Amino acid sequence: MSIRILPPEVASQIAAGEVVERPASVVKELVENSLDAGADQISIIIKDAGRGLIEVSDDGFGIPADELPLTVSRHATSKLSTAEDLFHIATLGFRGEALTSIGSVSHLTITSHATESDLGARLQVEGGHFSAVEPVGAPVGTEVKVADLFFNVPARLKFLKKDVTERRHIEDFVTRYALAYPNVRFQLRQEDRLTVQTSGNGDRREVLASLYGVEMAQQMLEVLAEYEQLKITGFTSAISLTRSNRREITLFINGRWIQDTALVTAVVRAYHTFLMVGRYPQSVLFLALPPEMVDVNVHPTKAAVRFRERDRVFSGVQRAVRRALLAHTPVPGIGAESFEMSGNDLGFERGDLTWSGVDLTHQQGELTWQPKKEEPDGSRVPLLRLVGQVAATYLVAEGPDGLYLVDQHAAHERVLFERYLEQRQTSIPSQSLLEPAAVEFSAAEARLISDQLPLLGQLGFQVESFGLNTFLVRAVPHILSGIDPGAALRVLVEDFEEDETPLQSEQEAKIIARICKRAAVKGGQALSVEEQRTLLDDLEGCQSPRTCPHGRPTMIHLSVDLLERQFGRRGAR
């Protein structure tokens, strides 16, 4: 096959694939251009999850009419002029590829009014071909409209995710940059609904509260540290606020959002011994260091960087976060009153018990538990005699075939889960609140809630919209009446994976499992003898008593045979 030069339109579409991955990529490039232009206000309008329309307008210094055609020409930029400038980049954009790439896969319209001009100008681009510049009346600043994204590359459209996922990516990006640039007033409207709005008054803590809610903002600890040429500011969560993944760890280098696995690891290590395994903090950190110490010209998206002294940056981030934790986290105290229960308080009498009619089908000689599945009747737990509670977390019980150690939290989860499923067949009882509780969410979480308010009603909640990203909780399922209503509602949207669509009917079992996890008694919670007995009785009556709804074992069985061999009462086999 002979070698040939690709047509310009094909080359442009190939280049666009590196820069324009999804609608959020377009928003990123346009917003970064607005920030480089010195904008104090940035407005973003999204239609059809970005497929139909992306409109970004700002009040920056604008683009002169004679330079508009250069904005859609490859490798045309005002940010640098020599190769040496690549090592001193102080702007977000510098490659001169963004608008060219966007224009090659959409219908692009740029309207701009430069501060030194008397009139604005407009340029239209369709699939890489642009028209003549025409004078128009417009306010100082720039407005860019991107319509019909990927209209000429249908294969790219097929690879886009669901609308809810694409909107979430856009909201996540705008939220990050609103925190990074508190002096800029951001406004985001998606499908004619205001989802993000900040005041631009420069108070980053206020931005944090407006985006994530006052309650979460109050749990964020301020990070402020400086090591030689490295300055680190931002916020990190208290140990009481955790997530099940690392997605909520956000990092900025010199005002640029980056993705760096090593720095995320540094944040996680700062919480070593503070958090349970599998839980992660929520952090927003802003690193400032001389431009020559970081290389941002690694990938067209500019999300990956290289550091000249990587270990020093890693160590600085870990120390800064750790110092913030130690400064705000008190040393916990343990009181002797937690361990005052004695064996005589357990209230049982010795004696022979009759175990007639019990099917002893447990595996002997090893620690066993059933996998996550519906067990046949033969694998139900036998009748258990309570012995006591260990470490305020585990119940000890005797069965006809050995000893059972029961995790009280996992066991209570299973009991509540099956009770909730049974109630769902008729009507889940609700508990009305004396005073409705207002709960604030991030923009992405608010959209998930608002889209599925009817389903929440079926699950026993009474929730209604109450302003920007805020909801009013009037009633909660009776099973959750003892916990904070805001926490009860938050559990429904916490930590879902990116491509999941939470709160849909096929997710009901998962949602109910989350509710039961929040409502169940916790490890470390001392139970009365009557409460211990009731929990064991309820677990014996469950259809699947061996595991909690998430698949974790509720109990460990130590058979008589195993105990005898461990104590040397039988020879080794």
Side-chain angles (χ1 to χ4, degrees), residues 505-537:
S505 56
E506 65 269 17
Q507 298 287 347
E508 282 190 34
K510 181 178 290 187
I511 294 166
I512 293 173
R514 283 188 176 275
I515 293 174
C516 295
K517 182 178 181 67
R518 180 61 62 96
V521 297
K522 304 297 185 288
Q525 180 177 341
L527 303 179
S528 68
V529 175
E530 188 58 36
E531 288 172 334
Q532 296 172 35
R533 286 198 180 112
T534 300
L535 180 55
L536 284 181
D537 291 343

PDB file of all heavy atoms in Angstrom, residues 505-537:
ATOM      1  N   SER A 505     -35.261   1.724  39.048  1.00  0.00           N
ATOM      2  CA  SER A 505     -35.986   0.598  39.633  1.00  0.00           C
ATOM      3  C   SER A 505     -35.108  -0.645  39.756  1.00  0.00           C
ATOM      4  O   SER A 505     -35.234  -1.401  40.721  1.00  0.00           O
ATOM      5  CB  SER A 505     -37.218   0.287  38.775  1.00  0.00           C
ATOM      6  OG  SER A 505     -36.843   0.028  37.427  1.00  0.00           O
ATOM      7  N   GLU A 506     -34.197  -0.864  38.791  1.00  0.00           N
ATOM      8  CA  GLU A 506     -33.332  -2.037  38.871  1.00  0.00           C
ATOM      9  C   GLU A 506     -32.299  -1.910  39.980  1.00  0.00           C
ATOM     10  O   GLU A 506     -31.612  -2.862  40.316  1.00  0.00           O
ATOM     11  CB  GLU A 506     -32.627  -2.285  37.527  1.00  0.00           C
ATOM     12  CG  GLU A 506     -31.652  -1.186  37.107  1.00  0.00           C
ATOM     13  CD  GLU A 506     -32.316  -0.122  36.276  1.00  0.00           C
ATOM     14  OE1 GLU A 506     -33.573  -0.057  36.304  1.00  0.00           O
ATOM     15  OE2 GLU A 506     -31.613   0.630  35.609  1.00  0.00           O
ATOM     16  N   GLN A 507     -32.163  -0.720  40.564  1.00  0.00           N
ATOM     17  CA  GLN A 507     -31.203  -0.508  41.631  1.00  0.00           C
ATOM     18  C   GLN A 507     -31.865  -0.509  43.012  1.00  0.00           C
ATOM     19  O   GLN A 507     -31.207  -0.230  44.013  1.00  0.00           O
ATOM     20  CB  GLN A 507     -30.506   0.845  41.430  1.00  0.00           C
ATOM     21  CG  GLN A 507     -29.706   0.962  40.145  1.00  0.00           C
ATOM     22  CD  GLN A 507     -28.428   0.153  40.194  1.00  0.00           C
ATOM     23  OE1 GLN A 507     -28.026  -0.293  41.259  1.00  0.00           O
ATOM     24  NE2 GLN A 507     -27.799  -0.048  39.064  1.00  0.00           N
ATOM     25  N   GLU A 508     -33.150  -0.828  43.087  1.00  0.00           N
ATOM     26  CA  GLU A 508     -33.859  -0.704  44.358  1.00  0.00           C
ATOM     27  C   GLU A 508     -33.228  -1.558  45.456  1.00  0.00           C
ATOM     28  O   GLU A 508     -33.091  -1.114  46.599  1.00  0.00           O
ATOM     29  CB  GLU A 508     -35.332  -1.079  44.190  1.00  0.00           C
ATOM     30  CG  GLU A 508     -36.160   0.022  43.558  1.00  0.00           C
ATOM     31  CD  GLU A 508     -37.641  -0.272  43.626  1.00  0.00           C
ATOM     32  OE1 GLU A 508     -38.074  -0.889  44.616  1.00  0.00           O
ATOM     33  OE2 GLU A 508     -38.360   0.113  42.699  1.00  0.00           O
ATOM     34  N   ALA A 509     -32.857  -2.788  45.116  1.00  0.00           N
ATOM     35  CA  ALA A 509     -32.271  -3.661  46.139  1.00  0.00           C
ATOM     36  C   ALA A 509     -30.974  -3.074  46.666  1.00  0.00           C
ATOM     37  O   ALA A 509     -30.701  -3.125  47.873  1.00  0.00           O
ATOM     38  CB  ALA A 509     -32.028  -5.053  45.563  1.00  0.00           C
ATOM     39  N   LYS A 510     -30.161  -2.498  45.771  1.00  0.00           N
ATOM     40  CA  LYS A 510     -28.910  -1.892  46.205  1.00  0.00           C
ATOM     41  C   LYS A 510     -29.168  -0.686  47.099  1.00  0.00           C
ATOM     42  O   LYS A 510     -28.482  -0.463  48.097  1.00  0.00           O
ATOM     43  CB  LYS A 510     -28.073  -1.481  44.992  1.00  0.00           C
ATOM     44  CG  LYS A 510     -26.734  -0.858  45.349  1.00  0.00           C
ATOM     45  CD  LYS A 510     -25.925  -0.520  44.111  1.00  0.00           C
ATOM     46  CE  LYS A 510     -25.436  -1.786  43.432  1.00  0.00           C
ATOM     47  NZ  LYS A 510     -24.504  -1.491  42.328  1.00  0.00           N
ATOM     48  N   ILE A 511     -30.180   0.097  46.744  1.00  0.00           N
ATOM     49  CA  ILE A 511     -30.515   1.278  47.547  1.00  0.00           C
ATOM     50  C   ILE A 511     -30.992   0.859  48.930  1.00  0.00           C
ATOM     51  O   ILE A 511     -30.591   1.417  49.952  1.00  0.00           O
ATOM     52  CB  ILE A 511     -31.596   2.112  46.833  1.00  0.00           C
ATOM     53  CG1 ILE A 511     -31.039   2.682  45.533  1.00  0.00           C
ATOM     54  CG2 ILE A 511     -32.094   3.226  47.720  1.00  0.00           C
ATOM     55  CD1 ILE A 511     -32.107   3.225  44.625  1.00  0.00           C
ATOM     56  N   ILE A 512     -31.872  -0.150  48.970  1.00  0.00           N
ATOM     57  CA  ILE A 512     -32.380  -0.630  50.258  1.00  0.00           C
ATOM     58  C   ILE A 512     -31.234  -1.167  51.107  1.00  0.00           C
ATOM     59  O   ILE A 512     -31.182  -0.958  52.326  1.00  0.00           O
ATOM     60  CB  ILE A 512     -33.467  -1.699  50.033  1.00  0.00           C
ATOM     61  CG1 ILE A 512     -34.698  -1.057  49.383  1.00  0.00           C
ATOM     62  CG2 ILE A 512     -33.840  -2.371  51.338  1.00  0.00           C
ATOM     63  CD1 ILE A 512     -35.763  -2.052  48.969  1.00  0.00           C
ATOM     64  N   ALA A 513     -30.268  -1.838  50.462  1.00  0.00           N
ATOM     65  CA  ALA A 513     -29.114  -2.343  51.200  1.00  0.00           C
ATOM     66  C   ALA A 513     -28.322  -1.192  51.808  1.00  0.00           C
ATOM     67  O   ALA A 513     -27.841  -1.280  52.946  1.00  0.00           O
ATOM     68  CB  ALA A 513     -28.218  -3.179  50.284  1.00  0.00           C
ATOM     69  N   ARG A 514     -28.185  -0.092  51.085  1.00  0.00           N
ATOM     70  CA  ARG A 514     -27.462   1.073  51.614  1.00  0.00           C
ATOM     71  C   ARG A 514     -28.215   1.680  52.798  1.00  0.00           C
ATOM     72  O   ARG A 514     -27.615   2.092  53.789  1.00  0.00           O
ATOM     73  CB  ARG A 514     -27.289   2.123  50.520  1.00  0.00           C
ATOM     74  CG  ARG A 514     -26.198   1.781  49.518  1.00  0.00           C
ATOM     75  CD  ARG A 514     -25.952   2.953  48.582  1.00  0.00           C
ATOM     76  NE  ARG A 514     -24.848   2.676  47.690  1.00  0.00           N
ATOM     77  CZ  ARG A 514     -23.577   2.878  47.998  1.00  0.00           C
ATOM     78  NH1 ARG A 514     -23.284   3.361  49.187  1.00  0.00           N
ATOM     79  NH2 ARG A 514     -22.627   2.611  47.143  1.00  0.00           N
ATOM     80  N   ILE A 515     -29.545   1.754  52.661  1.00  0.00           N
ATOM     81  CA  ILE A 515     -30.347   2.297  53.760  1.00  0.00           C
ATOM     82  C   ILE A 515     -30.170   1.450  55.010  1.00  0.00           C
ATOM     83  O   ILE A 515     -29.983   1.967  56.114  1.00  0.00           O
ATOM     84  CB  ILE A 515     -31.828   2.358  53.343  1.00  0.00           C
ATOM     85  CG1 ILE A 515     -32.030   3.390  52.217  1.00  0.00           C
ATOM     86  CG2 ILE A 515     -32.715   2.696  54.536  1.00  0.00           C
ATOM     87  CD1 ILE A 515     -33.435   3.399  51.645  1.00  0.00           C
ATOM     88  N   CYS A 516     -30.223   0.140  54.839  1.00  0.00           N
ATOM     89  CA  CYS A 516     -30.098  -0.755  55.985  1.00  0.00           C
ATOM     90  C   CYS A 516     -28.701  -0.676  56.602  1.00  0.00           C
ATOM     91  O   CYS A 516     -28.551  -0.787  57.824  1.00  0.00           O
ATOM     92  CB  CYS A 516     -30.404  -2.194  55.567  1.00  0.00           C
ATOM     93  SG  CYS A 516     -32.120  -2.434  55.039  1.00  0.00           S
ATOM     94  N   LYS A 517     -27.686  -0.470  55.781  1.00  0.00           N
ATOM     95  CA  LYS A 517     -26.322  -0.334  56.299  1.00  0.00           C
ATOM     96  C   LYS A 517     -26.222   0.878  57.213  1.00  0.00           C
ATOM     97  O   LYS A 517     -25.575   0.842  58.262  1.00  0.00           O
ATOM     98  CB  LYS A 517     -25.329  -0.198  55.146  1.00  0.00           C
ATOM     99  CG  LYS A 517     -23.865  -0.092  55.583  1.00  0.00           C
ATOM    100  CD  LYS A 517     -22.970  -0.020  54.362  1.00  0.00           C
ATOM    101  CE  LYS A 517     -21.504   0.069  54.777  1.00  0.00           C
ATOM    102  NZ  LYS A 517     -21.033  -1.157  55.423  1.00  0.00           N
ATOM    103  N   ARG A 518     -26.878   1.975  56.816  1.00  0.00           N
ATOM    104  CA  ARG A 518     -26.832   3.184  57.625  1.00  0.00           C
ATOM    105  C   ARG A 518     -27.644   3.023  58.920  1.00  0.00           C
ATOM    106  O   ARG A 518     -27.284   3.563  59.958  1.00  0.00           O
ATOM    107  CB  ARG A 518     -27.353   4.367  56.807  1.00  0.00           C
ATOM    108  CG  ARG A 518     -27.354   5.702  57.542  1.00  0.00           C
ATOM    109  CD  ARG A 518     -25.948   6.088  57.964  1.00  0.00           C
ATOM    110  NE  ARG A 518     -25.067   6.257  56.839  1.00  0.00           N
ATOM    111  CZ  ARG A 518     -24.803   7.425  56.265  1.00  0.00           C
ATOM    112  NH1 ARG A 518     -25.367   8.517  56.729  1.00  0.00           N
ATOM    113  NH2 ARG A 518     -23.964   7.494  55.256  1.00  0.00           N
ATOM    114  N   ALA A 519     -28.764   2.279  58.853  1.00  0.00           N
ATOM    115  CA  ALA A 519     -29.651   2.170  60.005  1.00  0.00           C
ATOM    116  C   ALA A 519     -29.222   1.096  61.001  1.00  0.00           C
ATOM    117  O   ALA A 519     -29.634   1.137  62.162  1.00  0.00           O
ATOM    118  CB  ALA A 519     -31.072   1.870  59.527  1.00  0.00           C
ATOM    119  N   ALA A 520     -28.396   0.141  60.570  1.00  0.00           N
ATOM    120  CA  ALA A 520     -28.034  -0.982  61.438  1.00  0.00           C
ATOM    121  C   ALA A 520     -27.169  -0.521  62.608  1.00  0.00           C
ATOM    122  O   ALA A 520     -26.483   0.496  62.540  1.00  0.00           O
ATOM    123  CB  ALA A 520     -27.295  -2.051  60.629  1.00  0.00           C
ATOM    124  N   VAL A 521     -27.208  -1.304  63.696  1.00  0.00           N
ATOM    125  CA  VAL A 521     -26.344  -1.009  64.840  1.00  0.00           C
ATOM    126  C   VAL A 521     -24.892  -1.105  64.379  1.00  0.00           C
ATOM    127  O   VAL A 521     -24.558  -1.869  63.479  1.00  0.00           O
ATOM    128  CB  VAL A 521     -26.598  -1.986  66.003  1.00  0.00           C
ATOM    129  CG1 VAL A 521     -28.001  -1.852  66.529  1.00  0.00           C
ATOM    130  CG2 VAL A 521     -26.298  -3.434  65.588  1.00  0.00           C
ATOM    131  N   LYS A 522     -24.028  -0.332  64.992  1.00  0.00           N
ATOM    132  CA  LYS A 522     -22.643  -0.252  64.561  1.00  0.00           C
ATOM    133  C   LYS A 522     -21.733  -1.119  65.428  1.00  0.00           C
ATOM    134  O   LYS A 522     -22.069  -1.463  66.571  1.00  0.00           O
ATOM    135  CB  LYS A 522     -22.154   1.201  64.610  1.00  0.00           C
ATOM    136  CG  LYS A 522     -22.997   2.165  63.795  1.00  0.00           C
ATOM    137  CD  LYS A 522     -22.954   1.820  62.314  1.00  0.00           C
ATOM    138  CE  LYS A 522     -23.700   2.837  61.471  1.00  0.00           C
ATOM    139  NZ  LYS A 522     -25.164   2.742  61.617  1.00  0.00           N
ATOM    140  N   GLY A 523     -20.579  -1.454  64.873  1.00  0.00           N
ATOM    141  CA  GLY A 523     -19.562  -2.094  65.673  1.00  0.00           C
ATOM    142  C   GLY A 523     -19.086  -1.128  66.741  1.00  0.00           C
ATOM    143  O   GLY A 523     -18.904   0.063  66.483  1.00  0.00           O
ATOM    144  N   GLY A 524     -18.886  -1.630  67.956  1.00  0.00           N
ATOM    145  CA  GLY A 524     -18.507  -0.753  69.059  1.00  0.00           C
ATOM    146  C   GLY A 524     -19.683  -0.238  69.855  1.00  0.00           C
ATOM    147  O   GLY A 524     -19.501   0.501  70.820  1.00  0.00           O
ATOM    148  N   GLN A 525     -20.898  -0.631  69.450  1.00  0.00           N
ATOM    149  CA  GLN A 525     -22.103  -0.190  70.157  1.00  0.00           C
ATOM    150  C   GLN A 525     -22.529  -1.285  71.133  1.00  0.00           C
ATOM    151  O   GLN A 525     -22.902  -2.383  70.729  1.00  0.00           O
ATOM    152  CB  GLN A 525     -23.215   0.105  69.151  1.00  0.00           C
ATOM    153  CG  GLN A 525     -24.523   0.576  69.774  1.00  0.00           C
ATOM    154  CD  GLN A 525     -25.552   0.930  68.728  1.00  0.00           C
ATOM    155  OE1 GLN A 525     -25.230   1.167  67.570  1.00  0.00           O
ATOM    156  NE2 GLN A 525     -26.801   0.962  69.123  1.00  0.00           N
ATOM    157  N   ALA A 526     -22.467  -0.986  72.420  1.00  0.00           N
ATOM    158  CA  ALA A 526     -22.838  -1.979  73.432  1.00  0.00           C
ATOM    159  C   ALA A 526     -24.346  -2.226  73.399  1.00  0.00           C
ATOM    160  O   ALA A 526     -25.139  -1.288  73.354  1.00  0.00           O
ATOM    161  CB  ALA A 526     -22.421  -1.498  74.813  1.00  0.00           C
ATOM    162  N   LEU A 527     -24.739  -3.500  73.386  1.00  0.00           N
ATOM    163  CA  LEU A 527     -26.149  -3.880  73.374  1.00  0.00           C
ATOM    164  C   LEU A 527     -26.512  -4.526  74.699  1.00  0.00           C
ATOM    165  O   LEU A 527     -25.701  -5.233  75.318  1.00  0.00           O
ATOM    166  CB  LEU A 527     -26.419  -4.870  72.231  1.00  0.00           C
ATOM    167  CG  LEU A 527     -26.050  -4.427  70.815  1.00  0.00           C
ATOM    168  CD1 LEU A 527     -26.366  -5.536  69.823  1.00  0.00           C
ATOM    169  CD2 LEU A 527     -26.769  -3.151  70.420  1.00  0.00           C
ATOM    170  N   SER A 528     -27.745  -4.293  75.115  1.00  0.00           N
ATOM    171  CA  SER A 528     -28.226  -4.972  76.315  1.00  0.00           C
ATOM    172  C   SER A 528     -28.393  -6.453  76.017  1.00  0.00           C
ATOM    173  O   SER A 528     -28.429  -6.873  74.852  1.00  0.00           O
ATOM    174  CB  SER A 528     -29.554  -4.371  76.771  1.00  0.00           C
ATOM    175  OG  SER A 528     -30.583  -4.668  75.823  1.00  0.00           O
ATOM    176  N   VAL A 529     -28.526  -7.249  77.067  1.00  0.00           N
ATOM    177  CA  VAL A 529     -28.690  -8.686  76.882  1.00  0.00           C
ATOM    178  C   VAL A 529     -29.955  -8.979  76.082  1.00  0.00           C
ATOM    179  O   VAL A 529     -29.977  -9.840  75.191  1.00  0.00           O
ATOM    180  CB  VAL A 529     -28.738  -9.399  78.249  1.00  0.00           C
ATOM    181  CG1 VAL A 529     -29.039 -10.879  78.069  1.00  0.00           C
ATOM    182  CG2 VAL A 529     -27.429  -9.209  78.992  1.00  0.00           C
ATOM    183  N   GLU A 530     -31.018  -8.236  76.348  1.00  0.00           N
ATOM    184  CA  GLU A 530     -32.267  -8.443  75.626  1.00  0.00           C
ATOM    185  C   GLU A 530     -32.105  -8.083  74.157  1.00  0.00           C
ATOM    186  O   GLU A 530     -32.624  -8.765  73.270  1.00  0.00           O
ATOM    187  CB  GLU A 530     -33.378  -7.597  76.260  1.00  0.00           C
ATOM    188  CG  GLU A 530     -34.766  -7.891  75.700  1.00  0.00           C
ATOM    189  CD  GLU A 530     -35.165  -9.345  75.863  1.00  0.00           C
ATOM    190  OE1 GLU A 530     -34.812  -9.956  76.900  1.00  0.00           O
ATOM    191  OE2 GLU A 530     -35.822  -9.888  74.956  1.00  0.00           O
ATOM    192  N   GLU A 531     -31.371  -7.014  73.880  1.00  0.00           N
ATOM    193  CA  GLU A 531     -31.127  -6.624  72.484  1.00  0.00           C
ATOM    194  C   GLU A 531     -30.289  -7.682  71.759  1.00  0.00           C
ATOM    195  O   GLU A 531     -30.522  -7.977  70.585  1.00  0.00           O
ATOM    196  CB  GLU A 531     -30.417  -5.265  72.440  1.00  0.00           C
ATOM    197  CG  GLU A 531     -31.310  -4.094  72.827  1.00  0.00           C
ATOM    198  CD  GLU A 531     -30.541  -2.797  72.958  1.00  0.00           C
ATOM    199  OE1 GLU A 531     -29.308  -2.856  73.244  1.00  0.00           O
ATOM    200  OE2 GLU A 531     -31.145  -1.724  72.790  1.00  0.00           O
ATOM    201  N   GLN A 532     -29.328  -8.254  72.445  1.00  0.00           N
ATOM    202  CA  GLN A 532     -28.507  -9.304  71.842  1.00  0.00           C
ATOM    203  C   GLN A 532     -29.366 -10.519  71.494  1.00  0.00           C
ATOM    204  O   GLN A 532     -29.252 -11.091  70.402  1.00  0.00           O
ATOM    205  CB  GLN A 532     -27.387  -9.707  72.803  1.00  0.00           C
ATOM    206  CG  GLN A 532     -26.393  -8.598  73.099  1.00  0.00           C
ATOM    207  CD  GLN A 532     -25.414  -8.980  74.195  1.00  0.00           C
ATOM    208  OE1 GLN A 532     -25.005 -10.146  74.306  1.00  0.00           O
ATOM    209  NE2 GLN A 532     -25.047  -8.020  75.047  1.00  0.00           N
ATOM    210  N   ARG A 533     -30.223 -10.925  72.441  1.00  0.00           N
ATOM    211  CA  ARG A 533     -31.082 -12.093  72.202  1.00  0.00           C
ATOM    212  C   ARG A 533     -32.041 -11.828  71.043  1.00  0.00           C
ATOM    213  O   ARG A 533     -32.268 -12.691  70.188  1.00  0.00           O
ATOM    214  CB  ARG A 533     -31.875 -12.422  73.466  1.00  0.00           C
ATOM    215  CG  ARG A 533     -31.056 -13.081  74.572  1.00  0.00           C
ATOM    216  CD  ARG A 533     -31.985 -13.759  75.569  1.00  0.00           C
ATOM    217  NE  ARG A 533     -31.235 -14.402  76.629  1.00  0.00           N
ATOM    218  CZ  ARG A 533     -31.237 -14.002  77.899  1.00  0.00           C
ATOM    219  NH1 ARG A 533     -31.944 -12.957  78.257  1.00  0.00           N
ATOM    220  NH2 ARG A 533     -30.536 -14.645  78.816  1.00  0.00           N
ATOM    221  N   THR A 534     -32.621 -10.627  71.012  1.00  0.00           N
ATOM    222  CA  THR A 534     -33.569 -10.290  69.941  1.00  0.00           C
ATOM    223  C   THR A 534     -32.889 -10.331  68.582  1.00  0.00           C
ATOM    224  O   THR A 534     -33.460 -10.831  67.611  1.00  0.00           O
ATOM    225  CB  THR A 534     -34.168  -8.894  70.195  1.00  0.00           C
ATOM    226  OG1 THR A 534     -34.845  -8.901  71.453  1.00  0.00           O
ATOM    227  CG2 THR A 534     -35.128  -8.505  69.090  1.00  0.00           C
ATOM    228  N   LEU A 535     -31.667  -9.823  68.517  1.00  0.00           N
ATOM    229  CA  LEU A 535     -30.945  -9.827  67.249  1.00  0.00           C
ATOM    230  C   LEU A 535     -30.682 -11.258  66.777  1.00  0.00           C
ATOM    231  O   LEU A 535     -30.861 -11.583  65.590  1.00  0.00           O
ATOM    232  CB  LEU A 535     -29.633  -9.061  67.394  1.00  0.00           C
ATOM    233  CG  LEU A 535     -28.749  -8.977  66.136  1.00  0.00           C
ATOM    234  CD1 LEU A 535     -29.524  -8.410  64.954  1.00  0.00           C
ATOM    235  CD2 LEU A 535     -27.507  -8.134  66.415  1.00  0.00           C
ATOM    236  N   LEU A 536     -30.280 -12.130  67.686  1.00  0.00           N
ATOM    237  CA  LEU A 536     -30.053 -13.524  67.302  1.00  0.00           C
ATOM    238  C   LEU A 536     -31.350 -14.181  66.828  1.00  0.00           C
ATOM    239  O   LEU A 536     -31.364 -14.916  65.822  1.00  0.00           O
ATOM    240  CB  LEU A 536     -29.476 -14.307  68.479  1.00  0.00           C
ATOM    241  CG  LEU A 536     -28.000 -14.076  68.812  1.00  0.00           C
ATOM    242  CD1 LEU A 536     -27.599 -14.952  69.991  1.00  0.00           C
ATOM    243  CD2 LEU A 536     -27.117 -14.380  67.604  1.00  0.00           C
ATOM    244  N   ASP A 537     -32.468 -13.942  67.533  1.00  0.00           N
ATOM    245  CA  ASP A 537     -33.753 -14.521  67.139  1.00  0.00           C
ATOM    246  C   ASP A 537     -34.162 -14.033  65.747  1.00  0.00           C
ATOM    247  O   ASP A 537     -34.632 -14.820  64.918  1.00  0.00           O
ATOM    248  CB  ASP A 537     -34.838 -14.152  68.158  1.00  0.00           C
ATOM    249  CG  ASP A 537     -34.624 -14.835  69.507  1.00  0.00           C
ATOM    250  OD1 ASP A 537     -33.854 -15.816  69.547  1.00  0.00           O
ATOM    251  OD2 ASP A 537     -35.214 -14.378  70.513  1.00  0.00           O
TER     252      ASP A 537
END
